[in-house]
Amino acid sequence: MKFTVSRDALLKPLNLVAGVVERRQTLPILANVLMVVEGDRLSLTGTDLEVELVGRVQLGSADGEPGELTVPARKLVDICKSLPEGSEISFAAQDGKVTVKSGRSRFTLSTLPAREFPNVEDSMGTHQFTIKQGQLKRLIDRTGFAMAQQDVRYYLNGMLWELKDKQLRVVATDGHRLALCTLPGKVEVNGDTQVILPRKGVLELARLLMDEEDDIAVVIGSNHIRATTNDFTFTSKLVDGKFPDYQRVLPRAPNKIVLAERLELRQAFTRAAILSNEKYRGVRLKLTEGSLDIVANNPEQEEAEEAVPVNYQGDSLEIGFNVSYLLDVLAVLSGEQIKLSLSDPNSSALLEESDEGDSLYVVMPMRL
């Protein structure tokens, strides 16, 4: 195997592919990236057996020798990063080693046979659709923060993708808050389905969505999801589990509707959070006609108070929340105003953009 490639063309896909590779593996070959040369095309593959990413690079010329091998991912990334911009890198493999040359630099890396590299199985997809990368990125950006991180309820450590009546909706929850975003238009897909993408798969997929106007083709199978763009093919195993019925979490008929300026509210919460308990992050909201008072206390007997003018007529209410959860929602919402719907001190709050938005957020209350 032999080929030459420009550093700048190689670095971006190599970085993304190496991002999938775990630093600590049980199998030595999982620390490597698979390099395959066919004609004037180089493909790079990284996997951790859960998520697989294939990047494609156009070679300057087709005079290389085809072949395949695996090389240590981290070392190759570090070598490419350290070479000067605009340089050409040539690779030549023989006797179980690969020589990497650029200018006056020369590196010899160990390799492992490509046939030992694990392949994420090719299962037939049952549902296929194509959407713009920017649309998918919005769905993930608006909900990803609410995924659980290491919950024993493993099905919460991921994101629900639901196809129903030609609508794509994604939902994430960690049991304390829930984020839901629906793609405004219809998608051309046959049948309905629900699948859970693992957390790592969601984060890796989001990194690939760089060209907002370009398409991404998604294929969902029984235990895999595959997404393909011009430059990448991303495959992830699905989480085998039942996602909670999110419809039951949405507050039924909240009767206290508050309209507030989003930026003003966010700044007030940010200031109050400074003196909240570092562990529980609780703040007390006191709602009266035309005003929302935010009060935070901590074990050092310190206190912060903020009064925010709001559009509200109705009975007064006092309710506690984790301020971090409220700030996470206000960080992803856009628009001037937000709508906060409440009913009583023990019921969750519903947050959304006041005009017809595509996202809903539910935050559970806290006892303070």
Side-chain angles (χ1 to χ4, degrees), residues 17 51 170 308 321:
V17 167
V51 175
V170 303
V308 181
F321 287 108

Side-chain angles (χ1 to χ4, degrees), residues 341-363:
S341 309
L342 302 158
S343 45
D344 61 65
N346 302 315
S347 303
S348 20
L350 184 68
L351 290 98
E352 56 196 305
E353 276 133 342
S354 50
D355 38 14
E356 289 298 303
D358 55 6
S359 315
L360 285 178
Y361 300 91
V362 178
V363 180

Side-chain angles (χ1 to χ4, degrees), residues 309-324:
V310 293
N311 183 346
Y312 171 70
Q313 279 88 39
D315 300 338
S316 54
L317 170 74
E318 197 167 313
I319 186 168
F321 287 108
N322 179 323
V323 70
S324 300

Side-chain angles (χ1 to χ4, degrees), residues 2-255:
K2 204 169 162 185
F3 65 92
T4 303
V5 63
S6 85
R7 168 202 181 266
D8 305 346
L10 179 63
L11 194 55
K12 186 170 121 186
L14 179 61
N15 246 332
L16 288 163
V17 167
V20 175
V21 176
E22 293 285 350
R23 286 182 184 273
R24 296 188 301 278
Q25 304 83 8
T26 44
L27 292 168
I29 198 151
L30 290 182
N32 283 16
V33 55
L34 171 69
M35 304 177 85
V36 181
V37 174
E38 290 173 314
D40 61 349
R41 195 106 169 260
L42 163 69
S43 66
L44 305 159
T45 308
T47 183
D48 66 352
L49 298 182
E50 291 289 316
V51 175
E52 176 190 85
L53 184 57
V54 183
R56 292 177 282 279
V57 186
Q58 206 62 33
L59 299 176
S61 62
D63 57 5
E65 291 172 11
E68 53 180 28
L69 50 76
T70 77
V71 293
R74 286 272 147 239
K75 290 173 186 165
L76 185 59
V77 169
D78 291 344
I79 287 170
C80 291
K81 276 186 180 166
S82 64
L83 290 169
E85 278 185 32
S87 53
E88 293 278 317
I89 309 175
S90 67
F91 288 77
Q94 64 186 73
D95 306 333
K97 295 266 192 285
V98 64
T99 306
V100 183
K101 290 184 191 166
S102 178
R104 295 180 184 172
S105 310
R106 185 168 178 274
F107 307 88
T108 307
L109 291 171
S110 63
T111 68
L112 287 169
R115 64 176 180 277
E116 290 176 16
F117 197 79
N119 183 17
V120 175
E121 66 191 78
D122 263 341
S123 56
M124 287 300 291
T126 49
H127 299 77
Q128 307 182 3
F129 60 91
T130 301
I131 60 174
K132 294 270 181 264
Q133 292 185 30
Q135 293 176 315
L136 185 55
K137 185 159 175 56
R138 177 182 168 85
L139 292 177
I140 293 175
D141 287 350
R142 289 220 146 195
T143 53
F145 68 87
M147 290 187 289
Q149 295 217 17
Q150 288 173 322
D151 202 296
V152 289
R153 297 164 294 179
Y154 59 93
Y155 48 82
L156 296 185
N157 304 322
M159 181 181 283
L160 175 77
W161 286 32
E162 179 183 71
L163 285 166
K164 194 173 178 185
D165 304 331
K166 295 198 183 307
Q167 281 228 292
L168 172 61
R169 172 176 288 173
V170 303
V171 186
T173 180
D174 61 4
H176 304 288
R177 55 195 169 166
L178 177 138
L180 173 157
C181 188
T182 310
L183 190 71
K186 300 274 188 196
V187 289
E188 286 306 313
V189 66
N190 294 327
D192 299 348
T193 187
Q194 273 196 351
V195 295
I196 306 172
L197 232 73
R199 179 184 176 84
K200 180 171 180 182
V202 173
L203 300 177
E204 290 300 333
L205 179 56
R207 289 171 57 204
L208 302 181
L209 304 172
M210 291 176 280
D211 304 313
E212 294 213 341
E213 289 307 311
D214 286 2
D215 285 344
I216 183 162
V218 179
V219 179
I220 297 175
S222 53
N223 51 4
H224 282 79
I225 185 166
R226 175 160 290 168
T228 309
T229 69
N230 292 335
D231 301 325
F232 292 99
T233 301
F234 161 90
T235 311
S236 171
K237 284 187 175 175
L238 296 170
V239 177
D240 183 16
K242 178 113 180 69
F243 202 79
D245 180 3
Y246 64 87
Q247 296 283 4
R248 287 178 50 195
V249 180
L250 301 178
R252 279 289 155 251
N255 54 5

